[in-house]
Amino acid sequence: MADEIELKLALGAEAPEALRRHPHLAGLTPALTRLGNTYYDTPEGDLEQARMALRLRRAGDRLLQTLKTRGQGGGGLSTRGEWEWEVPGPGLDLRGLAALPPMAERDPGLLERLVPRFATDFMRETWWLEEDGLSVELALDLGEIRAGGQAVAIRELELELKAGDPTALWALADALADTVALRASDTSKAARGGALLGGGWTLPEGTGAAAWLHRASMALDALADTGQDAWRDEARRAFQRLSELGDDALDDEALRDDARGLAEALGAETWLTPAFGRRMLRLARRLPGDIDLA
């Protein structure tokens, strides 16, 4: 078992090429891997309800089984429990799964009811940045999520901390946002697949500064996957509400300006720009990451 600490960033349409040209990555050759993933759950979605994700991943000639538990964080940054091991296939290693601590409190019969629920298929470009005790894996994923005869695009960048101070992820994201249209994203591929399969999204309540930012982030994720402007309106209202919170919740006028600027930017047809990303990252970096994530 390991704690996965990563910052997830959703990218604009032109962002992948801009990312490859960024000074941090220019001249470096990424590793390329085709990843095919099948996510499993019970027909009733027991794991999804517990905010857990179980998948089999085909990476070259290896088959990996992974269980992830609910995340904690917000603003794109998350910490999750993760167990991953190689399995012979072709199906799940139920014995190995049953031995994991998160499954100890589950009904043993749950394992027998696990079935494939949805799939993701994407090309991953991976760069490693290592300096002064810091080690970060940058993974650019381009592909799609398929569920229930529907598909949505995957276009995201994950900055995963392998060693060092987690705050370095913010500094790296800030540097990338100078030229790359990106934004913080709180929704995992598994949660997006569940929304696609279940036919809808549910936004969390806004009960404080971090929660309003989380609501805005999820609304933008829903907008990206559905194309429905109602989600843009939800994100705009969440950013506006964030800008109006009392001083005890948001005590920096510059952060209020960022929240107002994000709400206003969503009125433009092309809203996901480097400037939008920098504003959202500043908010995410300053607000406490104490949200339960899917």
Side-chain angles (χ1 to χ4, degrees):
M1 182 269 188
D3 282 335
E4 176 191 64
I5 302 174
E6 72 174 22
L7 181 58
K8 182 184 292 291
L9 304 166
L11 303 180
E14 308 301 323
E17 189 53 40
L19 176 70
R20 298 181 186 108
R21 295 195 305 266
H22 192 278
H24 273 62
L25 303 181
L28 300 179
T29 301
L32 301 177
T33 312
R34 170 69 68 181
L35 298 176
N37 309 272
T38 301
Y39 285 79
Y40 289 77
D41 203 341
T42 65
E44 299 78 20
D46 288 84
L47 296 184
E48 182 180 4
Q49 292 172 30
R51 298 190 179 183
M52 299 166 66
L54 173 65
R55 74 172 183 232
L56 281 181
R57 165 170 287 176
R58 176 68 65 182
D61 59 357
R62 303 177 68 207
L63 188 63
L64 302 173
Q65 182 165 309
T66 306
L67 178 71
K68 293 188 181 186
T69 56
R70 74 172 62 218
Q72 187 77 20
L77 186 66
S78 65
T79 301
R80 300 176 188 273
E82 180 183 59
W83 290 259
E84 184 170 86
W85 66 105
E86 189 166 353
V87 298
L92 291 170
D93 171 17
L94 295 180
R95 179 175 295 181
L97 182 61
L100 301 183
M103 304 307 296
E105 59 193 52
R106 304 288 160 189
D107 177 2
L110 179 149
L111 299 181
E112 302 301 328
R113 295 187 291 114
L114 292 171
V115 294
R117 294 278 278 167
F118 57 89
T120 66
D121 184 69
F122 53 90
M123 181 64 73
R124 169 166 288 182
E125 299 177 46
T126 306
W127 297 264
W128 285 82
L129 295 182
E130 297 184 331
E131 58 180 22
D132 300 328
L134 176 69
S135 179
V136 179
E137 179 190 69
L138 293 84
L140 170 63
D141 294 342
L142 301 174
E144 64 179 14
I145 301 170
R146 300 186 302 275
Q150 304 179 78
V152 293
I154 295 171
R155 188 168 58 241
E156 64 184 32
L157 177 67
E158 296 176 352
L159 310 181
E160 184 173 350
L161 185 73
K162 298 298 186 179
D165 186 345
T167 61
L169 297 181
W170 294 116
L172 176 56
D174 286 340
L176 296 176
D178 283 342
T179 58
V180 181
L182 54 79
R183 63 172 177 84
S185 171
D186 280 344
T187 311
S188 66
K189 295 182 184 71
R192 291 174 62 196
L196 187 62
L197 186 66
W201 288 70
T202 301
L203 297 184
E205 294 297 324
T207 55
W212 280 112
L213 178 61
H214 177 50
R215 182 180 175 91
S217 176
M218 283 196 64
L220 293 177
D221 293 333
L223 171 63
D225 280 3
T226 67
Q228 298 171 1
D229 277 339
W231 298 114
R232 183 199 299 249
D233 294 337
E234 288 286 358
R236 183 188 297 117
R237 284 192 288 269
F239 282 128
Q240 186 62 38
R241 184 68 182 89
L242 179 58
S243 75
E244 297 167 352
L245 292 179
D247 289 346
D248 56 340
L250 203 66
D251 59 0
D252 189 325
E253 188 59 32
L255 294 184
R256 296 181 192 281
D257 287 342
D258 281 331
R260 282 191 290 267
L262 290 166
E264 292 169 1
L266 285 168
E269 182 176 353
T270 303
W271 54 269
L272 183 50
T273 64
F276 187 99
R278 290 192 296 272
R279 283 184 181 273
M280 195 169 178
L281 285 171
R282 280 195 295 268
L283 280 171
R285 186 172 189 170
R286 289 286 300 276
L287 297 178
D290 56 1
I291 305 296
D292 284 336
L293 304 174

PDB file of all heavy atoms in Angstrom, residues 141-180:
ATOM      1  N   ASP A 141      -2.235  12.258 -20.289  1.00  0.00           N
ATOM      2  CA  ASP A 141      -3.138  11.201 -20.749  1.00  0.00           C
ATOM      3  C   ASP A 141      -4.095  11.752 -21.797  1.00  0.00           C
ATOM      4  O   ASP A 141      -4.819  12.720 -21.546  1.00  0.00           O
ATOM      5  CB  ASP A 141      -3.955  10.638 -19.576  1.00  0.00           C
ATOM      6  CG  ASP A 141      -3.094   9.908 -18.557  1.00  0.00           C
ATOM      7  OD1 ASP A 141      -1.958   9.540 -18.905  1.00  0.00           O
ATOM      8  OD2 ASP A 141      -3.565   9.712 -17.422  1.00  0.00           O
ATOM      9  N   LEU A 142      -4.105  11.097 -22.969  1.00  0.00           N
ATOM     10  CA  LEU A 142      -4.987  11.495 -24.071  1.00  0.00           C
ATOM     11  C   LEU A 142      -5.711  10.258 -24.581  1.00  0.00           C
ATOM     12  O   LEU A 142      -5.086   9.295 -25.010  1.00  0.00           O
ATOM     13  CB  LEU A 142      -4.175  12.124 -25.215  1.00  0.00           C
ATOM     14  CG  LEU A 142      -3.351  13.369 -24.867  1.00  0.00           C
ATOM     15  CD1 LEU A 142      -2.500  13.793 -26.059  1.00  0.00           C
ATOM     16  CD2 LEU A 142      -4.258  14.511 -24.421  1.00  0.00           C
ATOM     17  N   GLY A 143      -7.028  10.267 -24.496  1.00  0.00           N
ATOM     18  CA  GLY A 143      -7.800   9.110 -24.943  1.00  0.00           C
ATOM     19  C   GLY A 143      -9.259   9.303 -24.637  1.00  0.00           C
ATOM     20  O   GLY A 143      -9.803  10.394 -24.803  1.00  0.00           O
ATOM     21  N   GLU A 144      -9.919   8.236 -24.124  1.00  0.00           N
ATOM     22  CA  GLU A 144     -11.349   8.353 -23.856  1.00  0.00           C
ATOM     23  C   GLU A 144     -11.799   7.392 -22.769  1.00  0.00           C
ATOM     24  O   GLU A 144     -11.143   6.382 -22.472  1.00  0.00           O
ATOM     25  CB  GLU A 144     -12.163   8.106 -25.129  1.00  0.00           C
ATOM     26  CG  GLU A 144     -12.037   6.711 -25.703  1.00  0.00           C
ATOM     27  CD  GLU A 144     -12.899   6.532 -26.955  1.00  0.00           C
ATOM     28  OE1 GLU A 144     -13.364   7.535 -27.519  1.00  0.00           O
ATOM     29  OE2 GLU A 144     -13.093   5.364 -27.359  1.00  0.00           O
ATOM     30  N   ILE A 145     -12.944   7.748 -22.172  1.00  0.00           N
ATOM     31  CA  ILE A 145     -13.674   6.899 -21.230  1.00  0.00           C
ATOM     32  C   ILE A 145     -14.895   6.397 -21.965  1.00  0.00           C
ATOM     33  O   ILE A 145     -15.608   7.173 -22.613  1.00  0.00           O
ATOM     34  CB  ILE A 145     -14.108   7.695 -19.983  1.00  0.00           C
ATOM     35  CG1 ILE A 145     -12.891   8.292 -19.269  1.00  0.00           C
ATOM     36  CG2 ILE A 145     -14.906   6.805 -19.021  1.00  0.00           C
ATOM     37  CD1 ILE A 145     -13.259   9.279 -18.164  1.00  0.00           C
ATOM     38  N   ARG A 146     -15.171   5.086 -21.876  1.00  0.00           N
ATOM     39  CA  ARG A 146     -16.316   4.490 -22.563  1.00  0.00           C
ATOM     40  C   ARG A 146     -17.218   3.791 -21.538  1.00  0.00           C
ATOM     41  O   ARG A 146     -16.742   2.974 -20.748  1.00  0.00           O
ATOM     42  CB  ARG A 146     -15.860   3.485 -23.619  1.00  0.00           C
ATOM     43  CG  ARG A 146     -14.975   4.086 -24.705  1.00  0.00           C
ATOM     44  CD  ARG A 146     -14.704   3.048 -25.796  1.00  0.00           C
ATOM     45  NE  ARG A 146     -14.076   1.846 -25.261  1.00  0.00           N
ATOM     46  CZ  ARG A 146     -12.780   1.708 -25.082  1.00  0.00           C
ATOM     47  NH1 ARG A 146     -11.954   2.694 -25.390  1.00  0.00           N
ATOM     48  NH2 ARG A 146     -12.280   0.574 -24.603  1.00  0.00           N
ATOM     49  N   ALA A 147     -18.492   4.125 -21.593  1.00  0.00           N
ATOM     50  CA  ALA A 147     -19.462   3.493 -20.680  1.00  0.00           C
ATOM     51  C   ALA A 147     -20.850   3.590 -21.277  1.00  0.00           C
ATOM     52  O   ALA A 147     -21.243   4.639 -21.804  1.00  0.00           O
ATOM     53  CB  ALA A 147     -19.446   4.184 -19.312  1.00  0.00           C
ATOM     54  N   GLY A 148     -21.596   2.498 -21.215  1.00  0.00           N
ATOM     55  CA  GLY A 148     -22.981   2.506 -21.651  1.00  0.00           C
ATOM     56  C   GLY A 148     -23.190   2.978 -23.073  1.00  0.00           C
ATOM     57  O   GLY A 148     -24.183   3.650 -23.360  1.00  0.00           O
ATOM     58  N   GLY A 149     -22.270   2.648 -23.970  1.00  0.00           N
ATOM     59  CA  GLY A 149     -22.391   3.053 -25.356  1.00  0.00           C
ATOM     60  C   GLY A 149     -22.045   4.507 -25.617  1.00  0.00           C
ATOM     61  O   GLY A 149     -22.253   5.015 -26.718  1.00  0.00           O
ATOM     62  N   GLN A 150     -21.507   5.204 -24.620  1.00  0.00           N
ATOM     63  CA  GLN A 150     -21.102   6.590 -24.762  1.00  0.00           C
ATOM     64  C   GLN A 150     -19.609   6.721 -24.502  1.00  0.00           C
ATOM     65  O   GLN A 150     -18.986   5.823 -23.940  1.00  0.00           O
ATOM     66  CB  GLN A 150     -21.862   7.473 -23.768  1.00  0.00           C
ATOM     67  CG  GLN A 150     -23.373   7.389 -23.868  1.00  0.00           C
ATOM     68  CD  GLN A 150     -24.037   8.265 -22.834  1.00  0.00           C
ATOM     69  OE1 GLN A 150     -24.127   9.477 -22.969  1.00  0.00           O
ATOM     70  NE2 GLN A 150     -24.493   7.639 -21.758  1.00  0.00           N
ATOM     71  N   ALA A 151     -19.051   7.859 -24.916  1.00  0.00           N
ATOM     72  CA  ALA A 151     -17.628   8.090 -24.697  1.00  0.00           C
ATOM     73  C   ALA A 151     -17.390   9.571 -24.445  1.00  0.00           C
ATOM     74  O   ALA A 151     -18.081  10.437 -24.998  1.00  0.00           O
ATOM     75  CB  ALA A 151     -16.810   7.627 -25.897  1.00  0.00           C
ATOM     76  N   VAL A 152     -16.419   9.881 -23.586  1.00  0.00           N
ATOM     77  CA  VAL A 152     -15.965  11.250 -23.361  1.00  0.00           C
ATOM     78  C   VAL A 152     -14.452  11.256 -23.422  1.00  0.00           C
ATOM     79  O   VAL A 152     -13.795  10.240 -23.189  1.00  0.00           O
ATOM     80  CB  VAL A 152     -16.448  11.808 -22.004  1.00  0.00           C
ATOM     81  CG1 VAL A 152     -17.959  11.967 -21.989  1.00  0.00           C
ATOM     82  CG2 VAL A 152     -15.999  10.921 -20.855  1.00  0.00           C
ATOM     83  N   ALA A 153     -13.904  12.413 -23.751  1.00  0.00           N
ATOM     84  CA  ALA A 153     -12.465  12.522 -23.972  1.00  0.00           C
ATOM     85  C   ALA A 153     -11.694  12.606 -22.662  1.00  0.00           C
ATOM     86  O   ALA A 153     -12.154  13.201 -21.677  1.00  0.00           O
ATOM     87  CB  ALA A 153     -12.167  13.746 -24.827  1.00  0.00           C
ATOM     88  N   ILE A 154     -10.507  12.022 -22.673  1.00  0.00           N
ATOM     89  CA  ILE A 154      -9.522  12.218 -21.606  1.00  0.00           C
ATOM     90  C   ILE A 154      -8.447  13.141 -22.163  1.00  0.00           C
ATOM     91  O   ILE A 154      -7.830  12.851 -23.189  1.00  0.00           O
ATOM     92  CB  ILE A 154      -8.876  10.889 -21.182  1.00  0.00           C
ATOM     93  CG1 ILE A 154      -9.906   9.952 -20.541  1.00  0.00           C
ATOM     94  CG2 ILE A 154      -7.715  11.140 -20.212  1.00  0.00           C
ATOM     95  CD1 ILE A 154      -9.367   8.550 -20.296  1.00  0.00           C
ATOM     96  N   ARG A 155      -8.239  14.269 -21.489  1.00  0.00           N
ATOM     97  CA  ARG A 155      -7.156  15.188 -21.841  1.00  0.00           C
ATOM     98  C   ARG A 155      -6.721  15.849 -20.545  1.00  0.00           C
ATOM     99  O   ARG A 155      -7.238  16.882 -20.144  1.00  0.00           O
ATOM    100  CB  ARG A 155      -7.634  16.228 -22.865  1.00  0.00           C
ATOM    101  CG  ARG A 155      -6.521  17.093 -23.422  1.00  0.00           C
ATOM    102  CD  ARG A 155      -6.969  17.907 -24.633  1.00  0.00           C
ATOM    103  NE  ARG A 155      -8.094  18.771 -24.314  1.00  0.00           N
ATOM    104  CZ  ARG A 155      -9.288  18.695 -24.895  1.00  0.00           C
ATOM    105  NH1 ARG A 155      -9.543  17.788 -25.831  1.00  0.00           N
ATOM    106  NH2 ARG A 155     -10.253  19.528 -24.536  1.00  0.00           N
ATOM    107  N   GLU A 156      -5.804  15.194 -19.857  1.00  0.00           N
ATOM    108  CA  GLU A 156      -5.425  15.660 -18.527  1.00  0.00           C
ATOM    109  C   GLU A 156      -3.950  15.393 -18.252  1.00  0.00           C
ATOM    110  O   GLU A 156      -3.311  14.547 -18.887  1.00  0.00           O
ATOM    111  CB  GLU A 156      -6.289  14.997 -17.451  1.00  0.00           C
ATOM    112  CG  GLU A 156      -6.115  13.500 -17.341  1.00  0.00           C
ATOM    113  CD  GLU A 156      -7.066  12.848 -16.327  1.00  0.00           C
ATOM    114  OE1 GLU A 156      -8.193  13.366 -16.169  1.00  0.00           O
ATOM    115  OE2 GLU A 156      -6.669  11.841 -15.711  1.00  0.00           O
ATOM    116  N   LEU A 157      -3.461  16.144 -17.290  1.00  0.00           N
ATOM    117  CA  LEU A 157      -2.080  16.008 -16.848  1.00  0.00           C
ATOM    118  C   LEU A 157      -2.089  15.714 -15.361  1.00  0.00           C
ATOM    119  O   LEU A 157      -2.746  16.419 -14.587  1.00  0.00           O
ATOM    120  CB  LEU A 157      -1.302  17.303 -17.118  1.00  0.00           C
ATOM    121  CG  LEU A 157       0.154  17.336 -16.644  1.00  0.00           C
ATOM    122  CD1 LEU A 157       1.008  16.354 -17.448  1.00  0.00           C
ATOM    123  CD2 LEU A 157       0.724  18.747 -16.750  1.00  0.00           C
ATOM    124  N   GLU A 158      -1.364  14.669 -14.963  1.00  0.00           N
ATOM    125  CA  GLU A 158      -1.238  14.335 -13.551  1.00  0.00           C
ATOM    126  C   GLU A 158       0.205  14.561 -13.121  1.00  0.00           C
ATOM    127  O   GLU A 158       1.136  14.047 -13.751  1.00  0.00           O
ATOM    128  CB  GLU A 158      -1.641  12.874 -13.305  1.00  0.00           C
ATOM    129  CG  GLU A 158      -3.104  12.583 -13.616  1.00  0.00           C
ATOM    130  CD  GLU A 158      -3.457  11.109 -13.456  1.00  0.00           C
ATOM    131  OE1 GLU A 158      -2.517  10.295 -13.249  1.00  0.00           O
ATOM    132  OE2 GLU A 158      -4.639  10.775 -13.544  1.00  0.00           O
ATOM    133  N   LEU A 159       0.376  15.344 -12.056  1.00  0.00           N
ATOM    134  CA  LEU A 159       1.689  15.560 -11.455  1.00  0.00           C
ATOM    135  C   LEU A 159       1.722  14.738 -10.179  1.00  0.00           C
ATOM    136  O   LEU A 159       1.066  15.077  -9.195  1.00  0.00           O
ATOM    137  CB  LEU A 159       1.911  17.039 -11.134  1.00  0.00           C
ATOM    138  CG  LEU A 159       1.628  18.056 -12.247  1.00  0.00           C
ATOM    139  CD1 LEU A 159       1.922  19.464 -11.756  1.00  0.00           C
ATOM    140  CD2 LEU A 159       2.433  17.735 -13.487  1.00  0.00           C
ATOM    141  N   GLU A 160       2.445  13.623 -10.202  1.00  0.00           N
ATOM    142  CA  GLU A 160       2.471  12.718  -9.044  1.00  0.00           C
ATOM    143  C   GLU A 160       3.800  12.841  -8.313  1.00  0.00           C
ATOM    144  O   GLU A 160       4.867  12.683  -8.897  1.00  0.00           O
ATOM    145  CB  GLU A 160       2.240  11.275  -9.467  1.00  0.00           C
ATOM    146  CG  GLU A 160       2.172  10.328  -8.276  1.00  0.00           C
ATOM    147  CD  GLU A 160       1.774   8.912  -8.637  1.00  0.00           C
ATOM    148  OE1 GLU A 160       1.363   8.683  -9.803  1.00  0.00           O
ATOM    149  OE2 GLU A 160       1.872   8.019  -7.769  1.00  0.00           O
ATOM    150  N   LEU A 161       3.704  13.129  -7.022  1.00  0.00           N
ATOM    151  CA  LEU A 161       4.892  13.262  -6.196  1.00  0.00           C
ATOM    152  C   LEU A 161       5.442  11.888  -5.842  1.00  0.00           C
ATOM    153  O   LEU A 161       4.745  11.057  -5.277  1.00  0.00           O
ATOM    154  CB  LEU A 161       4.550  14.030  -4.921  1.00  0.00           C
ATOM    155  CG  LEU A 161       5.724  14.362  -4.003  1.00  0.00           C
ATOM    156  CD1 LEU A 161       6.579  15.464  -4.618  1.00  0.00           C
ATOM    157  CD2 LEU A 161       5.228  14.776  -2.623  1.00  0.00           C
ATOM    158  N   LYS A 162       6.696  11.661  -6.188  1.00  0.00           N
ATOM    159  CA  LYS A 162       7.367  10.407  -5.831  1.00  0.00           C
ATOM    160  C   LYS A 162       8.290  10.594  -4.633  1.00  0.00           C
ATOM    161  O   LYS A 162       8.493   9.667  -3.849  1.00  0.00           O
ATOM    162  CB  LYS A 162       8.167   9.894  -7.025  1.00  0.00           C
ATOM    163  CG  LYS A 162       7.315   9.553  -8.247  1.00  0.00           C
ATOM    164  CD  LYS A 162       6.316   8.451  -7.969  1.00  0.00           C
ATOM    165  CE  LYS A 162       5.569   8.022  -9.217  1.00  0.00           C
ATOM    166  NZ  LYS A 162       4.595   6.929  -8.947  1.00  0.00           N
ATOM    167  N   ALA A 163       8.852  11.784  -4.499  1.00  0.00           N
ATOM    168  CA  ALA A 163       9.706  12.099  -3.356  1.00  0.00           C
ATOM    169  C   ALA A 163       9.799  13.607  -3.242  1.00  0.00           C
ATOM    170  O   ALA A 163       9.806  14.319  -4.247  1.00  0.00           O
ATOM    171  CB  ALA A 163      11.108  11.501  -3.524  1.00  0.00           C
ATOM    172  N   GLY A 164       9.849  14.092  -1.980  1.00  0.00           N
ATOM    173  CA  GLY A 164      10.003  15.521  -1.773  1.00  0.00           C
ATOM    174  C   GLY A 164       8.787  16.156  -1.135  1.00  0.00           C
ATOM    175  O   GLY A 164       7.870  15.483  -0.651  1.00  0.00           O
ATOM    176  N   ASP A 165       8.769  17.485  -1.152  1.00  0.00           N
ATOM    177  CA  ASP A 165       7.735  18.281  -0.516  1.00  0.00           C
ATOM    178  C   ASP A 165       6.538  18.443  -1.452  1.00  0.00           C
ATOM    179  O   ASP A 165       6.691  18.906  -2.586  1.00  0.00           O
ATOM    180  CB  ASP A 165       8.316  19.658  -0.188  1.00  0.00           C
ATOM    181  CG  ASP A 165       7.370  20.531   0.613  1.00  0.00           C
ATOM    182  OD1 ASP A 165       6.166  20.212   0.688  1.00  0.00           O
ATOM    183  OD2 ASP A 165       7.833  21.543   1.169  1.00  0.00           O
ATOM    184  N   PRO A 166       5.317  18.087  -0.989  1.00  0.00           N
ATOM    185  CA  PRO A 166       4.138  18.215  -1.855  1.00  0.00           C
ATOM    186  C   PRO A 166       3.899  19.623  -2.383  1.00  0.00           C
ATOM    187  O   PRO A 166       3.295  19.800  -3.440  1.00  0.00           O
ATOM    188  CB  PRO A 166       2.986  17.768  -0.948  1.00  0.00           C
ATOM    189  CG  PRO A 166       3.628  16.859   0.051  1.00  0.00           C
ATOM    190  CD  PRO A 166       4.985  17.438   0.300  1.00  0.00           C
ATOM    191  N   THR A 167       4.350  20.659  -1.666  1.00  0.00           N
ATOM    192  CA  THR A 167       4.126  22.019  -2.154  1.00  0.00           C
ATOM    193  C   THR A 167       4.848  22.278  -3.468  1.00  0.00           C
ATOM    194  O   THR A 167       4.498  23.211  -4.194  1.00  0.00           O
ATOM    195  CB  THR A 167       4.586  23.056  -1.111  1.00  0.00           C
ATOM    196  OG1 THR A 167       5.987  22.889  -0.868  1.00  0.00           O
ATOM    197  CG2 THR A 167       3.817  22.899   0.196  1.00  0.00           C
ATOM    198  N   ALA A 168       5.838  21.446  -3.784  1.00  0.00           N
ATOM    199  CA  ALA A 168       6.548  21.612  -5.055  1.00  0.00           C
ATOM    200  C   ALA A 168       5.624  21.367  -6.244  1.00  0.00           C
ATOM    201  O   ALA A 168       5.881  21.875  -7.348  1.00  0.00           O
ATOM    202  CB  ALA A 168       7.745  20.670  -5.113  1.00  0.00           C
ATOM    203  N   LEU A 169       4.569  20.582  -6.048  1.00  0.00           N
ATOM    204  CA  LEU A 169       3.623  20.343  -7.137  1.00  0.00           C
ATOM    205  C   LEU A 169       2.942  21.641  -7.553  1.00  0.00           C
ATOM    206  O   LEU A 169       2.689  21.872  -8.738  1.00  0.00           O
ATOM    207  CB  LEU A 169       2.586  19.305  -6.722  1.00  0.00           C
ATOM    208  CG  LEU A 169       3.099  17.897  -6.415  1.00  0.00           C
ATOM    209  CD1 LEU A 169       1.934  16.982  -6.038  1.00  0.00           C
ATOM    210  CD2 LEU A 169       3.854  17.316  -7.601  1.00  0.00           C
ATOM    211  N   TRP A 170       2.626  22.498  -6.577  1.00  0.00           N
ATOM    212  CA  TRP A 170       2.002  23.781  -6.898  1.00  0.00           C
ATOM    213  C   TRP A 170       2.950  24.657  -7.700  1.00  0.00           C
ATOM    214  O   TRP A 170       2.541  25.302  -8.672  1.00  0.00           O
ATOM    215  CB  TRP A 170       1.597  24.507  -5.619  1.00  0.00           C
ATOM    216  CG  TRP A 170       0.522  23.839  -4.834  1.00  0.00           C
ATOM    217  CD1 TRP A 170       0.626  23.326  -3.577  1.00  0.00           C
ATOM    218  CD2 TRP A 170      -0.837  23.627  -5.232  1.00  0.00           C
ATOM    219  NE1 TRP A 170      -0.572  22.799  -3.172  1.00  0.00           N
ATOM    220  CE2 TRP A 170      -1.484  22.978  -4.163  1.00  0.00           C
ATOM    221  CE3 TRP A 170      -1.558  23.919  -6.384  1.00  0.00           C
ATOM    222  CZ2 TRP A 170      -2.833  22.619  -4.221  1.00  0.00           C
ATOM    223  CZ3 TRP A 170      -2.898  23.569  -6.442  1.00  0.00           C
ATOM    224  CH2 TRP A 170      -3.518  22.924  -5.361  1.00  0.00           C
ATOM    225  N   ALA A 171       4.215  24.687  -7.290  1.00  0.00           N
ATOM    226  CA  ALA A 171       5.193  25.511  -8.001  1.00  0.00           C
ATOM    227  C   ALA A 171       5.352  25.048  -9.435  1.00  0.00           C
ATOM    228  O   ALA A 171       5.445  25.858 -10.368  1.00  0.00           O
ATOM    229  CB  ALA A 171       6.532  25.477  -7.268  1.00  0.00           C
ATOM    230  N   LEU A 172       5.364  23.740  -9.635  1.00  0.00           N
ATOM    231  CA  LEU A 172       5.504  23.203 -10.979  1.00  0.00           C
ATOM    232  C   LEU A 172       4.271  23.530 -11.813  1.00  0.00           C
ATOM    233  O   LEU A 172       4.383  23.944 -12.976  1.00  0.00           O
ATOM    234  CB  LEU A 172       5.712  21.688 -10.914  1.00  0.00           C
ATOM    235  CG  LEU A 172       5.792  20.941 -12.248  1.00  0.00           C
ATOM    236  CD1 LEU A 172       6.880  21.520 -13.141  1.00  0.00           C
ATOM    237  CD2 LEU A 172       6.031  19.446 -12.008  1.00  0.00           C
ATOM    238  N   ALA A 173       3.081  23.360 -11.230  1.00  0.00           N
ATOM    239  CA  ALA A 173       1.849  23.676 -11.959  1.00  0.00           C
ATOM    240  C   ALA A 173       1.808  25.160 -12.327  1.00  0.00           C
ATOM    241  O   ALA A 173       1.391  25.528 -13.432  1.00  0.00           O
ATOM    242  CB  ALA A 173       0.635  23.307 -11.118  1.00  0.00           C
ATOM    243  N   ASP A 174       2.231  26.030 -11.398  1.00  0.00           N
ATOM    244  CA  ASP A 174       2.265  27.463 -11.684  1.00  0.00           C
ATOM    245  C   ASP A 174       3.165  27.755 -12.877  1.00  0.00           C
ATOM    246  O   ASP A 174       2.829  28.575 -13.741  1.00  0.00           O
ATOM    247  CB  ASP A 174       2.781  28.237 -10.467  1.00  0.00           C
ATOM    248  CG  ASP A 174       1.748  28.329  -9.352  1.00  0.00           C
ATOM    249  OD1 ASP A 174       0.548  28.141  -9.631  1.00  0.00           O
ATOM    250  OD2 ASP A 174       2.154  28.587  -8.203  1.00  0.00           O
ATOM    251  N   ALA A 175       4.326  27.101 -12.919  1.00  0.00           N
ATOM    252  CA  ALA A 175       5.250  27.325 -14.024  1.00  0.00           C
ATOM    253  C   ALA A 175       4.648  26.854 -15.346  1.00  0.00           C
ATOM    254  O   ALA A 175       4.760  27.540 -16.369  1.00  0.00           O
ATOM    255  CB  ALA A 175       6.568  26.594 -13.757  1.00  0.00           C
ATOM    256  N   LEU A 176       3.986  25.719 -15.347  1.00  0.00           N
ATOM    257  CA  LEU A 176       3.371  25.211 -16.571  1.00  0.00           C
ATOM    258  C   LEU A 176       2.248  26.132 -17.043  1.00  0.00           C
ATOM    259  O   LEU A 176       2.056  26.324 -18.251  1.00  0.00           O
ATOM    260  CB  LEU A 176       2.819  23.799 -16.333  1.00  0.00           C
ATOM    261  CG  LEU A 176       3.854  22.717 -16.012  1.00  0.00           C
ATOM    262  CD1 LEU A 176       3.152  21.398 -15.701  1.00  0.00           C
ATOM    263  CD2 LEU A 176       4.844  22.528 -17.150  1.00  0.00           C
ATOM    264  N   ALA A 177       1.520  26.710 -16.088  1.00  0.00           N
ATOM    265  CA  ALA A 177       0.377  27.561 -16.432  1.00  0.00           C
ATOM    266  C   ALA A 177       0.782  28.881 -17.059  1.00  0.00           C
ATOM    267  O   ALA A 177      -0.073  29.632 -17.533  1.00  0.00           O
ATOM    268  CB  ALA A 177      -0.477  27.818 -15.188  1.00  0.00           C
ATOM    269  N   ASP A 178       2.068  29.184 -17.089  1.00  0.00           N
ATOM    270  CA  ASP A 178       2.516  30.393 -17.786  1.00  0.00           C
ATOM    271  C   ASP A 178       2.147  30.350 -19.260  1.00  0.00           C
ATOM    272  O   ASP A 178       1.821  31.377 -19.860  1.00  0.00           O
ATOM    273  CB  ASP A 178       4.039  30.559 -17.648  1.00  0.00           C
ATOM    274  CG  ASP A 178       4.435  31.076 -16.276  1.00  0.00           C
ATOM    275  OD1 ASP A 178       3.561  31.622 -15.573  1.00  0.00           O
ATOM    276  OD2 ASP A 178       5.613  30.919 -15.903  1.00  0.00           O
ATOM    277  N   THR A 179       2.214  29.158 -19.860  1.00  0.00           N
ATOM    278  CA  THR A 179       1.974  29.051 -21.306  1.00  0.00           C
ATOM    279  C   THR A 179       0.952  27.980 -21.671  1.00  0.00           C
ATOM    280  O   THR A 179       0.575  27.878 -22.838  1.00  0.00           O
ATOM    281  CB  THR A 179       3.290  28.725 -22.040  1.00  0.00           C
ATOM    282  OG1 THR A 179       3.834  27.496 -21.522  1.00  0.00           O
ATOM    283  CG2 THR A 179       4.310  29.839 -21.858  1.00  0.00           C
ATOM    284  N   VAL A 180       0.495  27.190 -20.708  1.00  0.00           N
ATOM    285  CA  VAL A 180      -0.401  26.064 -20.992  1.00  0.00           C
ATOM    286  C   VAL A 180      -1.781  26.344 -20.408  1.00  0.00           C
ATOM    287  O   VAL A 180      -1.904  26.711 -19.236  1.00  0.00           O
ATOM    288  CB  VAL A 180       0.155  24.753 -20.396  1.00  0.00           C
ATOM    289  CG1 VAL A 180      -0.778  23.586 -20.715  1.00  0.00           C
ATOM    290  CG2 VAL A 180       1.560  24.464 -20.927  1.00  0.00           C
TER     291      VAL A 180
END
